[in-house]
Amino acid sequence: MQALAKTVAAPGLELIDAPVPEIGPDDVLIRINRTGICGTDIHIWNWDDWASKTVPVPLITGHEFAGEIVDLGRNVTGYQIGQRCSGEGHLIGHQSRQSRAGKFHLDPETRGIGVNEQGAFAQYLRLPAFNVVPLPDEISDDIGAILDPLGNAVHTALSFDLVGEDVLITGAGPIGIMAAAVARHVGARHVVITDVNQERLDLAARVADVVPVNVAEQNLADVAARLRIRQGFDVGLEMSGNQIAFDQMVESLVMGGRIALLGIPPGKSPVDWSRIVFKALTIKGVYGREIFETWYKMIAMLENGLDISGVITHRFAATDYRAAFEVMKSGQSGKVVLDWTG
Ligand code: NAD
Ligand code: ZN
């Protein structure tokens, strides 16, 4: 089969011919139709500090996928060959207290496909049947391939009650944009999204009914005043990993406001803790998606009018992966999807 792999400990990825994975008794074999390129894949392509310390070589990369089950391990029940599916790319252990309490997304033994284990940028993927998420007919393979980052957006956005609340999202990357659509869908009052990249703000405004603010040019406090957000935003969703954005969020929140942090800062970052104490802010770190509660909720929302399809701005055949990664690296895109069916 064709697969996109890190074959040497250096920048880049290579399209290779690899054996179709063998499955164990509790696994399924998935024929991949579409995959999404994630920011994580860009780190792996660039072979930065994090990637070189984390990713074994050689490794097939990629973790955002949609496809179809083509083989079942002998213990697998409840699925049939031909079932369309996506799946959770975090492979968890079942021994920890968190797992045994059903909090699978908090299992400390978690390993990621395409990061620690063979990934989804391939024509076939081996996945534990436990991780499979069936796709209803209404959800296309393109959308199925971006449920992983939509799950990040949904998990973050649903961290706090948003009904009737004024929500500030910092960072109009694909995940920030999808979180904005989710906040709107579940009934927020005003949803304001910031970035310094005008193209992404324009994309945000096309995908969701939100107020885009280019903080390199506009004053956020003025925009809030115009919207009659008097004492500050009620809830903040940090989706940039940028220090300036985080500081601006702390300043822009109401007393007692709540912040969900998804963005990953590049290193240790200084925080003005006394500001957080005196504003009585609640801050929640968000990792991955809730397994499988987030999957359940996002599929239900997609079936009931949540439309994030506009966040996919580019589609390429998998063999054109170089062009796809160039677009993704340029920062001038939303989600970029690869087609493996050709
Ligand atoms: P992305 O890098 O595509 O988007 C981040 C955006 O933040 C960019 O558009 C950038 O221009 C913008 N930005 C930069 N400076 C800013 C500022 N001062 N104010 C406002 N915006 C600013 O990232 P993404 O793929 O959308 O992911 C969002 C974040 O979530 C990233 O930091 C990513 O690493 C992180 N992430 C975390 C998890 C998790 O499990 N915690 C999972 C996936 C992604
Ligand atoms: Zn991802």
Side-chain angles (χ1 to χ4, degrees):
M1 67 172 186
Q2 287 191 317
L4 204 46
K6 179 67 81 180
T7 52
V8 284
L13 291 174
E14 201 187 333
L15 199 60
I16 60 166
D17 195 21
V20 173
E22 284 182 23
I23 60 169
D26 299 313
D27 300 329
V28 298
L29 186 68
I30 297 169
R31 194 186 67 219
I32 299 293
N33 291 334
R34 301 280 192 282
T35 57
I37 302 180
C38 179
T40 303
D41 303 318
I42 303 298
H43 289 290
I44 295 173
W45 178 289
N46 291 341
W47 205 237
D48 63 11
D49 257 13
W50 167 83
S52 61
K53 282 187 200 132
T54 313
V55 177
V57 179
L59 186 83
I60 297 171
T61 55
H63 58 271
E64 302 178 359
F65 67 91
E68 185 179 320
I69 295 177
V70 291
D71 198 7
L72 303 164
R74 72 179 130 79
N75 295 340
V76 176
T77 55
Y79 293 119
Q80 276 165 0
I81 289 174
Q83 170 70 58
R84 293 177 60 246
C85 68
S86 180
E88 173 58 56
H90 285 177
L91 311 181
I92 56 152
H94 292 272
Q95 304 301 324
S96 70
R97 178 178 173 183
Q98 290 91 328
S99 264
R100 289 172 68 89
K103 298 174 190 168
F104 301 124
H105 69 294
L106 299 178
D107 181 63
E109 317 270 88
T110 298
R111 296 173 62 74
I113 66 166
V115 176
N116 317 105
E117 304 276 342
Q118 299 297 349
F121 285 163
Q123 287 175 307
Y124 294 92
L125 170 73
R126 177 188 75 86
L127 194 75
F130 177 81
N131 287 56
V132 167
V133 176
L135 287 178
D137 292 345
E138 298 76 37
I139 297 184
S140 67
D141 285 339
D142 280 1
I143 298 298
I146 63 165
L147 291 181
D148 168 297
L150 175 60
N152 297 133
V154 168
H155 184 191
T156 313
L158 300 187
S159 290
F160 301 111
D161 181 7
L162 298 187
V163 179
E165 304 287 43
D166 293 329
V167 179
L168 174 63
I169 300 174
T170 46
I175 301 182
I177 293 174
M178 290 191 280
V182 172
R184 174 56 71 222
H185 183 78
V186 301
R189 189 173 79 128
H190 293 301
V191 181
V192 173
I193 188 163
T194 67
D195 206 297
V196 291
N197 176 334
Q198 190 58 44
E199 296 213 8
R200 285 195 149 176
L201 289 165
D202 294 344
L203 179 63
R206 284 200 296 278
V207 174
D209 174 20
V210 293
V211 180
V213 179
N214 188 334
V215 285
E217 292 165 5
Q218 283 169 282
N219 184 319
L220 180 59
D222 290 347
V223 176
R226 207 175 63 230
L227 296 171
R228 300 200 199 151
I229 298 172
R230 290 208 181 82
Q231 281 151 1
F233 292 88
D234 303 300
V235 177
L237 310 177
E238 206 309 291
M239 307 219 145
S240 73
N242 182 283
Q243 178 69 39
I244 297 168
F246 178 73
D247 289 342
Q248 186 162 47
M249 177 167 277
V250 169
E251 283 315 306
S252 308
L253 251 64
V254 71
M255 287 281 295
R258 291 146 293 161
I259 297 177
L261 277 184
L262 183 86
I264 303 171
K268 276 196 177 179
S269 41
V271 173
D272 185 354
W273 288 110
S274 60
R275 195 81 184 109
I276 288 161
V277 171
F278 287 120
K279 282 193 104 166
L281 299 180
T282 298
I283 299 183
K284 178 192 172 195
V286 179
Y287 174 59
R289 298 143 301 278
E290 286 189 8
I291 306 170
F292 287 88
E293 194 60 8
T294 304
W295 290 90
Y296 177 86
K297 285 185 185 288
M298 71 180 151
I299 288 173
M301 286 190 283
L302 288 168
E303 288 175 317
N304 286 284
L306 173 66
D307 182 5
I308 43 94
S309 53
V311 83
I312 300 176
T313 55
H314 296 78
R315 293 170 172 83
F316 291 91
T319 46
D320 284 339
Y321 69 98
R322 285 180 192 282
F325 272 79
E326 276 314 308
V327 167
M328 190 69 190
K329 283 198 272 182
S330 73
Q332 310 298 323
S333 73
K335 287 302 290 185
V336 177
V337 167
L338 295 176
D339 182 346
W340 289 87
T341 59

